[in-house]
């Protein structure tokens, strides 16, 4: 499924602003790293991407949260626009955007969290040395995709609110109340 191509198609999921607010209250930086090949594919313009980001910032602020930064990879190896047709280090599953954010914001990635709903998010987070939280339901096709990328998450959560709660527990040292990801798919074994 492609990303939204204009602000009218962009919607925040429920409770995203509140969950980000909880992360802000923990003193954590909240930075979005996103593959955004829509410009490279000729599906939207830089101005439309900026408008969608403004809508995202506004919606998050309305829910009580604050983003510190957004990093986008605009590249795609099959881009219709030649200037974006490259294989780069920033397109997830590569960790380039996380490494750049860490450098620019003085972040220790080993003490950071990568929350994502895609296997490439988890792969990038693992490559950068962050603790990974996979926002997804436990479906066997997810197990196959995780196995193909060797990208086992540290934790599985149902949404950003659950991720924020889990991170709060981890930050407070309440390790007894969190359960690390365990592969329970009959057709795959973790690390296989």
């Amino acid at each position: 499924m492609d990303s939204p191509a204009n602000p009218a198609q962009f919607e925040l999921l429920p409770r995203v602003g509140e969950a980000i607010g909880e992360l802000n209250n923990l003193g954590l930086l909240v930075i979005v790293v996103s593959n955004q090949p829509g410009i490279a594919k000729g599906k939207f313009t830089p101005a439309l991407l900026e408008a969608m980001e403004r809508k995202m910032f506004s919606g998050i602020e309305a829910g009580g949260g604050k983003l510190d930064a957004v990093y986008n990879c605009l590249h795609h190896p099959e881009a219709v626009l030649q200037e974006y047709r490259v294989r780069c280090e920033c397109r997830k599953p590569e960790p380039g955007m996380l490494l750049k954010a860490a450098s620019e914001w003085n972040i220790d990635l080993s003490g950071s969290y990568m929350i994502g709903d895609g296997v490439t998010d988890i792969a990038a987070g693992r490559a950068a040395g962050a603790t990974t939280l996979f926002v997804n339901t436990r479906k066997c096709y997810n197990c196959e995709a995780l196995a193909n990328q060797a990208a086992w998450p540290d934790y599985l959560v149902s949404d950003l609110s659950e991720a924020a709660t889990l991170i709060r527990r981890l930050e407070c040292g309440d390790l007894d109340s969190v359960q690390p990801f365990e592969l329970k798919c009959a057709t795959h074994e973790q690390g296989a």
Side-chain angles (χ1 to χ4, degrees):
M1 182 170 81
D2 271 345
S3 300
N6 64 63
Q9 295 174 342
F10 178 86
E11 288 185 39
L12 284 178
L13 294 172
R15 300 185 317 264
V16 165
E18 293 84 351
I20 290 174
E22 185 172 344
L23 296 171
N24 298 145
N25 290 338
L26 290 170
L28 301 175
L29 294 170
V30 179
I31 297 173
V32 172
V33 292
S34 181
N35 289 348
Q36 288 294 329
I39 296 168
K41 293 178 177 181
K43 295 187 176 197
F44 56 85
T45 64
L48 284 171
L49 179 58
E50 289 174 22
M52 287 185 279
E53 287 183 355
R54 282 193 303 274
K55 186 174 181 181
M56 177 178 64
F57 274 92
S58 176
I60 290 169
E61 288 173 8
K66 175 182 89 71
L67 289 181
D68 293 290
V70 175
Y71 291 81
N72 291 312
C73 173
L74 304 179
H75 307 115
H76 195 278
E78 299 168 13
V80 297
L81 299 176
Q82 182 63 36
E83 65 201 88
Y84 296 110
R85 190 182 308 145
V86 295
R87 293 200 185 278
C88 61
E89 295 297 315
C90 60
R91 183 172 174 77
K92 295 177 292 182
E94 300 299 327
M97 287 186 286
L98 284 81
L99 299 174
K100 182 177 181 181
S103 174
E104 291 180 355
W105 289 84
N106 195 29
I107 296 170
D108 173 10
L109 288 170
S110 68
S112 298
Y113 305 93
M114 175 64 169
I115 305 167
D117 63 356
V119 175
T120 59
D121 299 321
I122 302 308
R126 288 183 60 85
T131 298
T132 55
L133 289 81
F134 189 37
V135 179
N136 214 311
T137 56
R138 191 178 294 272
K139 302 284 185 188
C140 207
Y141 66 85
N142 291 331
C143 295
E144 182 145 343
L146 292 166
N148 289 341
Q149 292 280 330
W152 304 110
D154 295 299
Y155 300 96
L156 184 69
V157 294
S158 61
D159 60 21
L160 192 57
S161 291
E162 185 179 344
T165 298
L166 188 143
I167 289 170
R168 182 177 35 77
R169 290 178 179 154
L170 292 170
E171 289 291 304
C172 292
D174 186 8
L175 303 180
D176 293 335
S177 68
V178 297
Q179 183 176 7
F181 174 79
E182 290 182 36
L183 185 62
K184 295 183 181 177
C185 182
T187 59
H188 296 91
E189 292 182 24
Q190 188 168 347

